[in-house]
Every structure is written in C-alpha cells, then in structure tokens.
Amino acid sequence: MIQNNFQIYSCPSKTLILGGYAIMNPKCSGISIGLEERFYTVIYKNNNNINNNENLNQQDNQQNEITFTFSSPQINSEWIYNFNISEQQLNQINTDKEKSNPFLESTLKSYNNVSSFLGYYKYKETKLENIKIEIYFDSGFYSEKSQIQDKQISKKFKNFDKNNLQKSGLGSSACVIVSVLSALLNYHDIKSNQILEILSQIANIEAQKKVGSGFDIKTSIYGSNIYTMFSKESIMNLNLDQAFKINKNTGENTNHSTSPKI
C-alpha cells in the first residue's frame, strides 16, 4: 500500500507442517505454510522535520549522519539509531529508555552496507533524510500469561505489556526483519525478492548469533513453499557486486525484478 508520504509493507506468519529438524540438512526439504497473521511496517518519507527528542534536533542538518526512529505502539516501545556514514558506525541513542533490539540492529546493518555499496551515501551535497518507521502486528504473534489463563480472545491490533510477552512461534523475528528490510530497500527502489531474501537471512543469522534453517524468512517473503535450506557459505560469502549486477562505471542498478511478494 502506497500513500503520498508513507508506504506500508507486510508479510505473513508461518508454520512448518512437514520436515521438522530434517530441513537443517540441505539434502532434505520441508513444507512451510504462510498463515493469515501478519506484520506491518509503515515507513514515512521526508522526515528531516520530524523531531522525536533533543538528539534529533541536533542531528537534522548533519550531512554525515542519518537517524532511524522505530516505534511499536502496541508494546509502547521506541528505538532510535544514529548511523555515522563516514565511520560506518551504528549506535542506539536512547538506551536509557529502551533495551537494544538485535533484530532491528542487524537489519539496519544489512541495509546500510547495501546503501553504502550502491552509493546512496556517497555525495555530501545530497540532502540525507532521516527515516521514521512504525511496526504493527496481528495479535496472534504474542500472548500474555494472564490472557492464556483467562482464555481471552484478542483483537487484531491488541496492546501488550512488553514485559509479559509470550511468543506463539509464528515467526515474529523473521517478520520484523523481512517487513522492515523490504520497506528500507524499496525506499531506494530496490525491488528484488532474491536480494531481500539474502540480506534477510544474513540479518537473521547475525541477530541470533547462529545459522538456523531460514524457512521462516523465506515464508515471510514468498508465503507457502517447499523449502530447502541454503548453504552457509553461499550466504556468508555473498558478493554484493554480483548480487546486484551493478555497472561499476555508472552505479546503475540493473536488477529490475518484481516487487517483494509480501
């Protein structure tokens, strides 16, 4: 969904109905089903005038820095990150109010690496835009202990106590990565399911500090699928120049595949 000053991206939840731990072997396949519960990412354009705190006021006109502000109204949370372009350094600037979010951080690292590679941060005369993102989710992704005991029926966008959350196993971590990264890539008109999947798998590996099966990432992008695990080497040794088919002389992105199916 696209409006004048914001865009909305969403992706489905998942369940693995066939394969189990066997899909950790690339020689085996499993069947993953995309479910109706979804994550939603809203990305706002032209946010240099959006000031969330004193830190943003000070950084608005600094060409060497970009501020990413993430909010999740349903759990009353906000994460603010500052990316220093020349030093390629990402820092959370509201740690006094909110704990770090490894999934958002790994997603931002993937995005910033690609953006730097493609030259979006290259020219100082280019006015850099701060980015504001809101994250929403269907209530089936989480529950609260009291809700389980009382057998309450939750509404679609129920508010939760973030200190009392119980995951339901529908792939919320994968959905955060895929929906946010898709929004950021499309922000720069990068519309490739293959690139989205590769970068999402890398972000997921970094956030969890281990290599999982990756079927939840793929299901968040493509929906229901017959899944065969990728090889770790093919993901971690990714050559961005080959992946994006970049013409080094012009910096033009020659990959014109369809928009992510999320």
Side-chain angles (χ1 to χ4, degrees), residues 4 57 62 68 86 93 106 127 146 165 172 191 196 236:
N4 290 334
N57 280 323
Q62 294 182 12
F68 298 87
S86 60
I93 59 178
S106 63
K127 187 176 182 180
S146 59
L165 280 181
S172 58
K191 300 176 180 179
L196 175 61
M236 302 312 293

Side-chain angles (χ1 to χ4, degrees), residues 30-81:
I31 298 177
S32 178
I33 302 297
L35 304 177
E36 63 180 6
E37 286 81 3
R38 303 180 72 88
F39 255 72
Y40 304 85
T41 291
V42 184
I43 184 168
Y44 292 86
K45 303 176 68 175
N46 301 321
N47 290 293
N48 282 322
N49 294 323
I50 295 178
N51 300 316
N52 294 289
N53 59 20
E54 293 181 359
N55 289 323
L56 293 187
N57 280 323
Q58 297 172 0
Q59 294 164 4
D60 277 343
N61 296 317
Q62 294 182 12
Q63 293 294 302
N64 195 44
E65 296 179 342
I66 298 178
T67 299
F68 298 87
T69 302
F70 297 90
S71 63
S72 181
Q74 289 168 265
I75 57 174
N76 192 29
S77 294
E78 184 177 63
W79 300 268
I80 304 174
Y81 295 94

